[in-house]
Amino acid sequence: MQTLSLPFQFFQAHFDEYLSRYQDFLRIPSVSTDPDHKADMQRACDFLVGQLKNLGTDRVEVFPTPMHPIVFAEKRSPKPNAPTLLIYGHYDVQPVAPLNEWKSPPFEPSLDGDYLTARGASDMKGQVMAVLSAIDSIVKTTELPLNLKFLFEGEEEIGSPSLETFIASHRDLLACDMVLNPDAGMVGLDLPTVVYSLRGLVYFEVRIDGPKTDLHSGLFGGVVANPAIVLSEIIASLHAPDGSVAVPGFYDQVLPLTPEERARIAANPTRETDLLAITGAPALYGEAGYTPLERIGARPTLDVNGLYSGFIGEGSKTIIPAYASAKISCRLVPNQDPDHVYDTIKKAIENRVPPTVRLTMVKHSGAPAYLADDAPGLQNLTAALSETWGKPVIFKREGGSIPVATTMQNYLGVKSLLTGFGLPDDHIHSPNERQHLPTWKKGVQALIHFIAGFEHES
Ligand code: BES
Ligand code: ZN
């Protein structure tokens, strides 16, 4: 028991220090999608290198990529034949817009009661710092029972475009017995969670060009097609009235849900009222014939993530816009191939474009879904979580995406332990992202239990 409690006592005694390092990490505006933040990405990478060196790692190496560097580190256990745990994290965050909706500046972490607010506080700098704090507390107080490897990337929020090549060409370096990926979250407060499925993603832009420039809508309205209207019609045509995606072939590869799987999904305690409260939407929406949890975890979707055309400033301006564009993405479920889905949508859109305008489509990232419920180390993790919270662990099919889980399964042959200590109302990807600190502390406690607890095996 002592090996478990000593590190946690150390963590509690040094909590202020750990919290202040966490805040230092949050101060770095590492927005991966924005080229203006390239130097900040390097700073976030350097920050992690510093943290990893402080842990007394045997090796820390930075691998450049076409975009943002990958950090690898290794710390060996003094125990012979110790199993190896590979820990994944990402140091990039989503953009902060709309900035005026933040109650405090996104990169100036603000502590208010139980919450720490900043971009990345929950997704996932908070989770990276929870793991690093847990390991630091362990190595300061006891013997590490596992060999540790760390893989931190800076491109998760843009679909991990450099990671597959890196993993494929560094299989020996990354060889491991278990993978811990704390980029998933909890079902709710005091509901420790392990995620066994993630949705995939395919992201693309659709642009409709009409006249060569914005035109006076009085002089030319009625003779020239309006790209904003054409794009709206195309977007509207992508769903049927029953909420399903109206693209021929879109559901071709989707496996039907078995009664067992439906029952398993229904065991998640999240209710419609929770979803209404968290989102603030006046009513729920979605594909007919499936429960909200099935629609989140096990059905594909198509969403508009951004829409732009014409004059969007204050006041009015009478024009026919020269172009209209939309950022669109689909969440994918197991067995769907992102390239195939993109091709079906591209074909459907091409068929719906009238000859009065021109269409351009650009594909961004694509990642397949993930489904695996028997990752190595699952029993240890489940025990650590349930003992820390004094509650059974909830197994969840998650609607979000973490591309690396599938990539690691494919190239390293190891399934991931997907967990995390973010809550559904942390506002991830939204203004005022936050982390519930009492949950973060419990998360560190559970991670200490999970990692240091390996000594109690065998
Ligand atoms: N941490 C999230 C995914 C997530 C959130 C999983 C909550 C489980 C619970 C991750 O950082 C994320 O947002 N991923 C992107 C990936 C995409 C760009 C391929 C996503 O889901 O939008
Ligand atoms: Zn995210």
PDB file of all heavy atoms in Angstrom, residues 90 92 94 122-124 155-160 182-186 195 198-201 203 331 365-367 396 398-403 419 428-429, ligand 1:
ATOM      1  N   HIS A  90      -0.854  15.028 -26.918  1.00  0.00           N
ATOM      2  CA  HIS A  90      -0.647  16.065 -27.943  1.00  0.00           C
ATOM      3  C   HIS A  90      -0.529  17.426 -27.275  1.00  0.00           C
ATOM      4  O   HIS A  90      -1.216  17.708 -26.301  1.00  0.00           O
ATOM      5  CB  HIS A  90      -1.708  16.040 -29.039  1.00  0.00           C
ATOM      6  CG  HIS A  90      -3.117  16.360 -28.645  1.00  0.00           C
ATOM      7  ND1 HIS A  90      -3.591  17.657 -28.524  1.00  0.00           N
ATOM      8  CD2 HIS A  90      -4.178  15.560 -28.383  1.00  0.00           C
ATOM      9  CE1 HIS A  90      -4.874  17.623 -28.216  1.00  0.00           C
ATOM     10  NE2 HIS A  90      -5.263  16.369 -28.101  1.00  0.00           N
ATOM     11  N   ASP A  92      -0.715  20.308 -29.059  1.00  0.00           N
ATOM     12  CA  ASP A  92      -1.408  21.356 -29.812  1.00  0.00           C
ATOM     13  C   ASP A  92      -2.829  21.535 -29.293  1.00  0.00           C
ATOM     14  O   ASP A  92      -3.375  20.661 -28.616  1.00  0.00           O
ATOM     15  CB  ASP A  92      -1.432  21.051 -31.318  1.00  0.00           C
ATOM     16  CG  ASP A  92      -2.197  19.769 -31.673  1.00  0.00           C
ATOM     17  OD1 ASP A  92      -2.148  18.799 -30.894  1.00  0.00           O
ATOM     18  OD2 ASP A  92      -2.843  19.743 -32.746  1.00  0.00           O
ATOM     19  N   GLN A  94      -6.827  23.674 -30.203  1.00  0.00           N
ATOM     20  CA  GLN A  94      -7.701  24.231 -31.240  1.00  0.00           C
ATOM     21  C   GLN A  94      -7.615  25.763 -31.245  1.00  0.00           C
ATOM     22  O   GLN A  94      -7.249  26.360 -30.233  1.00  0.00           O
ATOM     23  CB  GLN A  94      -9.146  23.815 -30.938  1.00  0.00           C
ATOM     24  CG  GLN A  94      -9.428  22.342 -31.191  1.00  0.00           C
ATOM     25  CD  GLN A  94      -9.817  22.039 -32.625  1.00  0.00           C
ATOM     26  OE1 GLN A  94     -10.382  22.870 -33.321  1.00  0.00           O
ATOM     27  NE2 GLN A  94      -9.527  20.833 -33.082  1.00  0.00           N
ATOM     28  N   SER A 122      -8.367  21.331 -20.741  1.00  0.00           N
ATOM     29  CA  SER A 122      -8.903  19.973 -20.708  1.00  0.00           C
ATOM     30  C   SER A 122      -8.371  19.133 -21.882  1.00  0.00           C
ATOM     31  O   SER A 122      -8.001  17.977 -21.710  1.00  0.00           O
ATOM     32  CB  SER A 122     -10.441  20.054 -20.734  1.00  0.00           C
ATOM     33  OG  SER A 122     -11.011  18.776 -20.812  1.00  0.00           O
ATOM     34  N   ASP A 123      -8.350  19.699 -23.061  1.00  0.00           N
ATOM     35  CA  ASP A 123      -8.016  18.982 -24.305  1.00  0.00           C
ATOM     36  C   ASP A 123      -6.741  19.548 -24.903  1.00  0.00           C
ATOM     37  O   ASP A 123      -6.784  20.496 -25.662  1.00  0.00           O
ATOM     38  CB  ASP A 123      -9.194  19.117 -25.282  1.00  0.00           C
ATOM     39  CG  ASP A 123      -8.987  18.393 -26.595  1.00  0.00           C
ATOM     40  OD1 ASP A 123      -8.043  17.602 -26.690  1.00  0.00           O
ATOM     41  OD2 ASP A 123      -9.771  18.630 -27.522  1.00  0.00           O
ATOM     42  N   MET A 124      -5.545  18.915 -24.645  1.00  0.00           N
ATOM     43  CA  MET A 124      -5.375  17.936 -23.621  1.00  0.00           C
ATOM     44  C   MET A 124      -4.157  18.225 -22.760  1.00  0.00           C
ATOM     45  O   MET A 124      -3.538  17.341 -22.191  1.00  0.00           O
ATOM     46  CB  MET A 124      -5.270  16.528 -24.233  1.00  0.00           C
ATOM     47  CG  MET A 124      -3.973  16.270 -24.958  1.00  0.00           C
ATOM     48  SD  MET A 124      -3.593  14.509 -25.322  1.00  0.00           S
ATOM     49  CE  MET A 124      -3.526  13.607 -23.821  1.00  0.00           C
ATOM     50  N   GLU A 155       0.112  17.755 -33.799  1.00  0.00           N
ATOM     51  CA  GLU A 155      -0.802  17.870 -34.951  1.00  0.00           C
ATOM     52  C   GLU A 155      -2.107  17.113 -34.753  1.00  0.00           C
ATOM     53  O   GLU A 155      -2.810  16.833 -35.715  1.00  0.00           O
ATOM     54  CB  GLU A 155      -0.097  17.346 -36.222  1.00  0.00           C
ATOM     55  CG  GLU A 155       1.178  18.096 -36.566  1.00  0.00           C
ATOM     56  CD  GLU A 155       1.898  17.522 -37.787  1.00  0.00           C
ATOM     57  OE1 GLU A 155       1.432  16.529 -38.367  1.00  0.00           O
ATOM     58  OE2 GLU A 155       2.939  18.087 -38.156  1.00  0.00           O
ATOM     59  N   GLU A 156      -2.436  16.761 -33.503  1.00  0.00           N
ATOM     60  CA  GLU A 156      -3.645  15.954 -33.297  1.00  0.00           C
ATOM     61  C   GLU A 156      -4.890  16.714 -33.711  1.00  0.00           C
ATOM     62  O   GLU A 156      -5.807  16.161 -34.321  1.00  0.00           O
ATOM     63  CB  GLU A 156      -3.749  15.531 -31.822  1.00  0.00           C
ATOM     64  CG  GLU A 156      -4.737  14.398 -31.574  1.00  0.00           C
ATOM     65  CD  GLU A 156      -6.189  14.828 -31.430  1.00  0.00           C
ATOM     66  OE1 GLU A 156      -6.455  16.028 -31.190  1.00  0.00           O
ATOM     67  OE2 GLU A 156      -7.086  13.975 -31.574  1.00  0.00           O
ATOM     68  N   GLU A 157      -4.935  17.990 -33.377  1.00  0.00           N
ATOM     69  CA  GLU A 157      -6.143  18.770 -33.639  1.00  0.00           C
ATOM     70  C   GLU A 157      -6.345  19.082 -35.122  1.00  0.00           C
ATOM     71  O   GLU A 157      -7.348  19.677 -35.503  1.00  0.00           O
ATOM     72  CB  GLU A 157      -6.134  20.063 -32.811  1.00  0.00           C
ATOM     73  CG  GLU A 157      -6.128  19.846 -31.292  1.00  0.00           C
ATOM     74  CD  GLU A 157      -7.432  19.257 -30.732  1.00  0.00           C
ATOM     75  OE1 GLU A 157      -8.303  18.851 -31.520  1.00  0.00           O
ATOM     76  OE2 GLU A 157      -7.560  19.214 -29.498  1.00  0.00           O
ATOM     77  N   ILE A 158      -5.368  18.696 -35.942  1.00  0.00           N
ATOM     78  CA  ILE A 158      -5.556  18.855 -37.389  1.00  0.00           C
ATOM     79  C   ILE A 158      -5.522  17.489 -38.080  1.00  0.00           C
ATOM     80  O   ILE A 158      -5.281  17.395 -39.285  1.00  0.00           O
ATOM     81  CB  ILE A 158      -4.513  19.830 -38.012  1.00  0.00           C
ATOM     82  CG1 ILE A 158      -3.090  19.471 -37.584  1.00  0.00           C
ATOM     83  CG2 ILE A 158      -4.840  21.264 -37.623  1.00  0.00           C
ATOM     84  CD1 ILE A 158      -2.011  20.273 -38.287  1.00  0.00           C
ATOM     85  N   GLY A 159      -5.740  16.439 -37.317  1.00  0.00           N
ATOM     86  CA  GLY A 159      -5.868  15.111 -37.922  1.00  0.00           C
ATOM     87  C   GLY A 159      -4.590  14.284 -37.955  1.00  0.00           C
ATOM     88  O   GLY A 159      -4.529  13.286 -38.664  1.00  0.00           O
ATOM     89  N   SER A 160      -3.562  14.691 -37.214  1.00  0.00           N
ATOM     90  CA  SER A 160      -2.299  13.923 -37.102  1.00  0.00           C
ATOM     91  C   SER A 160      -1.691  13.553 -38.453  1.00  0.00           C
ATOM     92  O   SER A 160      -1.336  12.391 -38.689  1.00  0.00           O
ATOM     93  CB  SER A 160      -2.524  12.646 -36.277  1.00  0.00           C
ATOM     94  OG  SER A 160      -2.989  12.962 -34.982  1.00  0.00           O
ATOM     95  N   PRO A 182      -4.535   9.318 -22.736  1.00  0.00           N
ATOM     96  CA  PRO A 182      -5.482  10.031 -21.868  1.00  0.00           C
ATOM     97  C   PRO A 182      -6.183  11.192 -22.571  1.00  0.00           C
ATOM     98  O   PRO A 182      -6.574  12.154 -21.924  1.00  0.00           O
ATOM     99  CB  PRO A 182      -4.592  10.508 -20.717  1.00  0.00           C
ATOM    100  CG  PRO A 182      -3.247  10.709 -21.347  1.00  0.00           C
ATOM    101  CD  PRO A 182      -3.160   9.837 -22.571  1.00  0.00           C
ATOM    102  N   ASP A 183      -6.377  11.094 -23.886  1.00  0.00           N
ATOM    103  CA  ASP A 183      -7.010  12.173 -24.655  1.00  0.00           C
ATOM    104  C   ASP A 183      -8.525  12.010 -24.743  1.00  0.00           C
ATOM    105  O   ASP A 183      -9.211  12.775 -25.390  1.00  0.00           O
ATOM    106  CB  ASP A 183      -6.399  12.224 -26.064  1.00  0.00           C
ATOM    107  CG  ASP A 183      -6.717  13.517 -26.795  1.00  0.00           C
ATOM    108  OD1 ASP A 183      -7.031  14.520 -26.123  1.00  0.00           O
ATOM    109  OD2 ASP A 183      -6.647  13.526 -28.034  1.00  0.00           O
ATOM    110  N   ALA A 184      -9.060  10.984 -24.086  1.00  0.00           N
ATOM    111  CA  ALA A 184     -10.519  10.834 -24.049  1.00  0.00           C
ATOM    112  C   ALA A 184     -11.017  11.415 -22.719  1.00  0.00           C
ATOM    113  O   ALA A 184     -10.212  11.780 -21.871  1.00  0.00           O
ATOM    114  CB  ALA A 184     -10.888   9.369 -24.173  1.00  0.00           C
ATOM    115  N   GLY A 185     -12.317  11.481 -22.538  1.00  0.00           N
ATOM    116  CA  GLY A 185     -12.817  12.139 -21.328  1.00  0.00           C
ATOM    117  C   GLY A 185     -13.742  11.259 -20.519  1.00  0.00           C
ATOM    118  O   GLY A 185     -13.880  10.062 -20.778  1.00  0.00           O
ATOM    119  N   MET A 186     -14.359  11.861 -19.518  1.00  0.00           N
ATOM    120  CA  MET A 186     -15.284  11.136 -18.636  1.00  0.00           C
ATOM    121  C   MET A 186     -16.730  11.383 -19.060  1.00  0.00           C
ATOM    122  O   MET A 186     -17.058  12.427 -19.608  1.00  0.00           O
ATOM    123  CB  MET A 186     -15.091  11.594 -17.188  1.00  0.00           C
ATOM    124  CG  MET A 186     -13.744  11.173 -16.620  1.00  0.00           C
ATOM    125  SD  MET A 186     -13.344  11.986 -15.066  1.00  0.00           S
ATOM    126  CE  MET A 186     -14.533  11.278 -13.953  1.00  0.00           C
ATOM    127  N   VAL A 195     -12.874   4.573 -22.626  1.00  0.00           N
ATOM    128  CA  VAL A 195     -13.495   4.648 -23.951  1.00  0.00           C
ATOM    129  C   VAL A 195     -13.042   3.445 -24.769  1.00  0.00           C
ATOM    130  O   VAL A 195     -11.854   3.136 -24.807  1.00  0.00           O
ATOM    131  CB  VAL A 195     -13.094   5.989 -24.618  1.00  0.00           C
ATOM    132  CG1 VAL A 195     -13.344   5.961 -26.110  1.00  0.00           C
ATOM    133  CG2 VAL A 195     -13.854   7.141 -23.956  1.00  0.00           C
ATOM    134  N   LEU A 198     -13.908   5.063 -30.856  1.00  0.00           N
ATOM    135  CA  LEU A 198     -13.839   6.473 -31.263  1.00  0.00           C
ATOM    136  C   LEU A 198     -14.366   6.572 -32.681  1.00  0.00           C
ATOM    137  O   LEU A 198     -14.241   5.620 -33.465  1.00  0.00           O
ATOM    138  CB  LEU A 198     -12.381   6.945 -31.279  1.00  0.00           C
ATOM    139  CG  LEU A 198     -11.637   6.967 -29.957  1.00  0.00           C
ATOM    140  CD1 LEU A 198     -10.131   6.940 -30.214  1.00  0.00           C
ATOM    141  CD2 LEU A 198     -12.003   8.216 -29.162  1.00  0.00           C
ATOM    142  N   ARG A 199     -14.927   7.707 -33.029  1.00  0.00           N
ATOM    143  CA  ARG A 199     -15.317   7.873 -34.425  1.00  0.00           C
ATOM    144  C   ARG A 199     -14.119   8.360 -35.239  1.00  0.00           C
ATOM    145  O   ARG A 199     -13.176   8.946 -34.712  1.00  0.00           O
ATOM    146  CB  ARG A 199     -16.490   8.860 -34.545  1.00  0.00           C
ATOM    147  CG  ARG A 199     -17.795   8.200 -34.121  1.00  0.00           C
ATOM    148  CD  ARG A 199     -19.016   8.959 -34.576  1.00  0.00           C
ATOM    149  NE  ARG A 199     -19.220  10.187 -33.843  1.00  0.00           N
ATOM    150  CZ  ARG A 199     -20.314  10.940 -33.955  1.00  0.00           C
ATOM    151  NH1 ARG A 199     -21.274  10.586 -34.797  1.00  0.00           N
ATOM    152  NH2 ARG A 199     -20.447  12.050 -33.256  1.00  0.00           N
ATOM    153  N   GLY A 200     -14.158   8.118 -36.520  1.00  0.00           N
ATOM    154  CA  GLY A 200     -13.146   8.633 -37.430  1.00  0.00           C
ATOM    155  C   GLY A 200     -13.608   9.964 -37.996  1.00  0.00           C
ATOM    156  O   GLY A 200     -14.638  10.510 -37.572  1.00  0.00           O
ATOM    157  N   LEU A 201     -12.854  10.485 -38.948  1.00  0.00           N
ATOM    158  CA  LEU A 201     -13.184  11.801 -39.482  1.00  0.00           C
ATOM    159  C   LEU A 201     -12.698  11.933 -40.917  1.00  0.00           C
ATOM    160  O   LEU A 201     -11.649  11.413 -41.272  1.00  0.00           O
ATOM    161  CB  LEU A 201     -12.492  12.877 -38.630  1.00  0.00           C
ATOM    162  CG  LEU A 201     -12.895  14.316 -38.916  1.00  0.00           C
ATOM    163  CD1 LEU A 201     -14.138  14.674 -38.115  1.00  0.00           C
ATOM    164  CD2 LEU A 201     -11.782  15.283 -38.563  1.00  0.00           C
ATOM    165  N   TYR A 203     -12.440  15.421 -43.444  1.00  0.00           N
ATOM    166  CA  TYR A 203     -12.664  16.873 -43.409  1.00  0.00           C
ATOM    167  C   TYR A 203     -12.353  17.454 -44.789  1.00  0.00           C
ATOM    168  O   TYR A 203     -11.338  17.098 -45.396  1.00  0.00           O
ATOM    169  CB  TYR A 203     -11.723  17.494 -42.362  1.00  0.00           C
ATOM    170  CG  TYR A 203     -12.152  18.855 -41.849  1.00  0.00           C
ATOM    171  CD1 TYR A 203     -12.578  18.997 -40.535  1.00  0.00           C
ATOM    172  CD2 TYR A 203     -12.130  19.989 -42.662  1.00  0.00           C
ATOM    173  CE1 TYR A 203     -12.975  20.231 -40.029  1.00  0.00           C
ATOM    174  CE2 TYR A 203     -12.534  21.223 -42.175  1.00  0.00           C
ATOM    175  CZ  TYR A 203     -12.947  21.346 -40.856  1.00  0.00           C
ATOM    176  OH  TYR A 203     -13.347  22.562 -40.357  1.00  0.00           O
ATOM    177  N   ARG A 331     -18.111  12.578 -39.284  1.00  0.00           N
ATOM    178  CA  ARG A 331     -17.634  11.629 -38.282  1.00  0.00           C
ATOM    179  C   ARG A 331     -17.943  10.245 -38.818  1.00  0.00           C
ATOM    180  O   ARG A 331     -19.049  10.001 -39.325  1.00  0.00           O
ATOM    181  CB  ARG A 331     -18.343  11.855 -36.949  1.00  0.00           C
ATOM    182  CG  ARG A 331     -18.023  13.174 -36.293  1.00  0.00           C
ATOM    183  CD  ARG A 331     -16.622  13.218 -35.710  1.00  0.00           C
ATOM    184  NE  ARG A 331     -16.254  14.588 -35.358  1.00  0.00           N
ATOM    185  CZ  ARG A 331     -15.117  14.931 -34.758  1.00  0.00           C
ATOM    186  NH1 ARG A 331     -14.221  14.005 -34.445  1.00  0.00           N
ATOM    187  NH2 ARG A 331     -14.861  16.180 -34.481  1.00  0.00           N
ATOM    188  N   SER A 365      -7.757  16.386 -43.592  1.00  0.00           N
ATOM    189  CA  SER A 365      -7.335  15.125 -42.978  1.00  0.00           C
ATOM    190  C   SER A 365      -8.408  14.048 -43.076  1.00  0.00           C
ATOM    191  O   SER A 365      -9.592  14.328 -43.228  1.00  0.00           O
ATOM    192  CB  SER A 365      -7.035  15.377 -41.511  1.00  0.00           C
ATOM    193  OG  SER A 365      -8.183  15.891 -40.882  1.00  0.00           O
ATOM    194  N   GLY A 366      -7.998  12.832 -42.943  1.00  0.00           N
ATOM    195  CA  GLY A 366      -8.925  11.711 -42.854  1.00  0.00           C
ATOM    196  C   GLY A 366      -8.379  10.693 -41.863  1.00  0.00           C
ATOM    197  O   GLY A 366      -7.172  10.502 -41.789  1.00  0.00           O
ATOM    198  N   ALA A 367      -9.252  10.114 -41.080  1.00  0.00           N
ATOM    199  CA  ALA A 367      -8.809   9.089 -40.125  1.00  0.00           C
ATOM    200  C   ALA A 367      -9.947   8.111 -39.901  1.00  0.00           C
ATOM    201  O   ALA A 367     -11.097   8.523 -39.727  1.00  0.00           O
ATOM    202  CB  ALA A 367      -8.409   9.736 -38.801  1.00  0.00           C
ATOM    203  N   LYS A 396     -17.436   3.537 -22.579  1.00  0.00           N
ATOM    204  CA  LYS A 396     -18.151   4.443 -23.479  1.00  0.00           C
ATOM    205  C   LYS A 396     -17.698   4.324 -24.930  1.00  0.00           C
ATOM    206  O   LYS A 396     -16.506   4.193 -25.206  1.00  0.00           O
ATOM    207  CB  LYS A 396     -17.914   5.886 -23.003  1.00  0.00           C
ATOM    208  CG  LYS A 396     -18.719   6.865 -23.816  1.00  0.00           C
ATOM    209  CD  LYS A 396     -18.432   8.322 -23.544  1.00  0.00           C
ATOM    210  CE  LYS A 396     -19.377   9.143 -24.421  1.00  0.00           C
ATOM    211  NZ  LYS A 396     -19.044  10.555 -24.457  1.00  0.00           N
ATOM    212  N   GLU A 398     -17.175   6.671 -27.794  1.00  0.00           N
ATOM    213  CA  GLU A 398     -16.998   8.120 -27.854  1.00  0.00           C
ATOM    214  C   GLU A 398     -17.262   8.629 -29.280  1.00  0.00           C
ATOM    215  O   GLU A 398     -16.961   7.947 -30.255  1.00  0.00           O
ATOM    216  CB  GLU A 398     -15.554   8.438 -27.423  1.00  0.00           C
ATOM    217  CG  GLU A 398     -15.144   9.870 -27.532  1.00  0.00           C
ATOM    218  CD  GLU A 398     -16.049  10.796 -26.761  1.00  0.00           C
ATOM    219  OE1 GLU A 398     -16.213  10.608 -25.552  1.00  0.00           O
ATOM    220  OE2 GLU A 398     -16.626  11.707 -27.385  1.00  0.00           O
ATOM    221  N   GLY A 399     -17.810   9.826 -29.348  1.00  0.00           N
ATOM    222  CA  GLY A 399     -18.092  10.406 -30.657  1.00  0.00           C
ATOM    223  C   GLY A 399     -16.918  11.155 -31.262  1.00  0.00           C
ATOM    224  O   GLY A 399     -16.840  11.334 -32.477  1.00  0.00           O
ATOM    225  N   GLY A 400     -15.977  11.613 -30.421  1.00  0.00           N
ATOM    226  CA  GLY A 400     -14.801  12.345 -30.904  1.00  0.00           C
ATOM    227  C   GLY A 400     -13.807  11.400 -31.562  1.00  0.00           C
ATOM    228  O   GLY A 400     -14.016  10.183 -31.609  1.00  0.00           O
ATOM    229  N   SER A 401     -12.730  11.981 -32.075  1.00  0.00           N
ATOM    230  CA  SER A 401     -11.740  11.199 -32.820  1.00  0.00           C
ATOM    231  C   SER A 401     -10.343  11.389 -32.238  1.00  0.00           C
ATOM    232  O   SER A 401      -9.992  12.488 -31.820  1.00  0.00           O
ATOM    233  CB  SER A 401     -11.721  11.639 -34.285  1.00  0.00           C
ATOM    234  OG  SER A 401     -13.040  11.662 -34.804  1.00  0.00           O
ATOM    235  N   ILE A 402      -9.589  10.318 -32.201  1.00  0.00           N
ATOM    236  CA  ILE A 402      -8.167  10.390 -31.831  1.00  0.00           C
ATOM    237  C   ILE A 402      -7.440   9.472 -32.808  1.00  0.00           C
ATOM    238  O   ILE A 402      -7.329   8.260 -32.591  1.00  0.00           O
ATOM    239  CB  ILE A 402      -7.926   9.942 -30.363  1.00  0.00           C
ATOM    240  CG1 ILE A 402      -8.911  10.638 -29.391  1.00  0.00           C
ATOM    241  CG2 ILE A 402      -6.487  10.225 -29.957  1.00  0.00           C
ATOM    242  CD1 ILE A 402      -8.786  10.174 -27.937  1.00  0.00           C
ATOM    243  N   PRO A 403      -6.990  10.052 -33.944  1.00  0.00           N
ATOM    244  CA  PRO A 403      -6.490   9.203 -35.034  1.00  0.00           C
ATOM    245  C   PRO A 403      -5.386   8.227 -34.625  1.00  0.00           C
ATOM    246  O   PRO A 403      -5.307   7.121 -35.153  1.00  0.00           O
ATOM    247  CB  PRO A 403      -5.970  10.223 -36.059  1.00  0.00           C
ATOM    248  CG  PRO A 403      -6.706  11.494 -35.761  1.00  0.00           C
ATOM    249  CD  PRO A 403      -6.995  11.482 -34.292  1.00  0.00           C
ATOM    250  N   THR A 419      -8.576   6.925 -21.872  1.00  0.00           N
ATOM    251  CA  THR A 419      -9.259   7.479 -20.716  1.00  0.00           C
ATOM    252  C   THR A 419      -8.937   8.968 -20.650  1.00  0.00           C
ATOM    253  O   THR A 419      -8.433   9.535 -21.626  1.00  0.00           O
ATOM    254  CB  THR A 419      -8.851   6.716 -19.431  1.00  0.00           C
ATOM    255  OG1 THR A 419      -9.687   7.106 -18.354  1.00  0.00           O
ATOM    256  CG2 THR A 419      -7.395   6.956 -19.065  1.00  0.00           C
ATOM    257  N   ILE A 428     -14.579  21.948 -24.479  1.00  0.00           N
ATOM    258  CA  ILE A 428     -13.418  21.724 -25.346  1.00  0.00           C
ATOM    259  C   ILE A 428     -13.776  22.150 -26.776  1.00  0.00           C
ATOM    260  O   ILE A 428     -14.898  21.989 -27.209  1.00  0.00           O
ATOM    261  CB  ILE A 428     -12.879  20.272 -25.282  1.00  0.00           C
ATOM    262  CG1 ILE A 428     -13.870  19.243 -25.814  1.00  0.00           C
ATOM    263  CG2 ILE A 428     -12.460  19.911 -23.869  1.00  0.00           C
ATOM    264  CD1 ILE A 428     -13.261  17.840 -25.957  1.00  0.00           C
ATOM    265  N   HIS A 429     -12.815  22.748 -27.451  1.00  0.00           N
ATOM    266  CA  HIS A 429     -12.955  23.331 -28.802  1.00  0.00           C
ATOM    267  C   HIS A 429     -13.858  24.568 -28.786  1.00  0.00           C
ATOM    268  O   HIS A 429     -14.139  25.128 -29.857  1.00  0.00           O
ATOM    269  CB  HIS A 429     -13.497  22.316 -29.831  1.00  0.00           C
ATOM    270  CG  HIS A 429     -12.573  21.165 -30.082  1.00  0.00           C
ATOM    271  ND1 HIS A 429     -12.574  20.452 -31.257  1.00  0.00           N
ATOM    272  CD2 HIS A 429     -11.611  20.599 -29.317  1.00  0.00           C
ATOM    273  CE1 HIS A 429     -11.665  19.493 -31.203  1.00  0.00           C
ATOM    274  NE2 HIS A 429     -11.072  19.561 -30.030  1.00  0.00           N
TER     275      HIS A 429
HETATM  276  N1  BES B   1      -9.481  14.911 -27.144  1.00  0.00           N
HETATM  277  C1  BES B   1     -10.194  15.093 -28.363  1.00  0.00           C
HETATM  278  C2  BES B   1     -11.098  13.931 -28.718  1.00  0.00           C
HETATM  279  C3  BES B   1     -12.005  13.491 -27.596  1.00  0.00           C
HETATM  280  C4  BES B   1     -12.680  14.422 -26.846  1.00  0.00           C
HETATM  281  C5  BES B   1     -12.130  12.173 -27.309  1.00  0.00           C
HETATM  282  C6  BES B   1     -13.490  14.015 -25.802  1.00  0.00           C
HETATM  283  C7  BES B   1     -12.934  11.753 -26.280  1.00  0.00           C
HETATM  284  C8  BES B   1     -13.612  12.689 -25.518  1.00  0.00           C
HETATM  285  C9  BES B   1      -9.206  15.322 -29.468  1.00  0.00           C
HETATM  286  O1  BES B   1      -8.238  16.284 -29.135  1.00  0.00           O
HETATM  287  C10 BES B   1      -9.929  15.898 -30.657  1.00  0.00           C
HETATM  288  O2  BES B   1     -10.598  16.872 -30.521  1.00  0.00           O
HETATM  289  N2  BES B   1      -9.706  15.303 -31.808  1.00  0.00           N
HETATM  290  C11 BES B   1     -10.159  15.828 -33.038  1.00  0.00           C
HETATM  291  C12 BES B   1      -9.510  14.971 -34.083  1.00  0.00           C
HETATM  292  C13 BES B   1      -9.774  15.340 -35.504  1.00  0.00           C
HETATM  293  C14 BES B   1      -9.216  16.672 -35.863  1.00  0.00           C
HETATM  294  C15 BES B   1      -9.219  14.259 -36.403  1.00  0.00           C
HETATM  295  C16 BES B   1     -11.669  15.779 -33.123  1.00  0.00           C
HETATM  296  O3  BES B   1     -12.307  14.823 -32.638  1.00  0.00           O
HETATM  297  O4  BES B   1     -12.242  16.725 -33.666  1.00  0.00           O
END
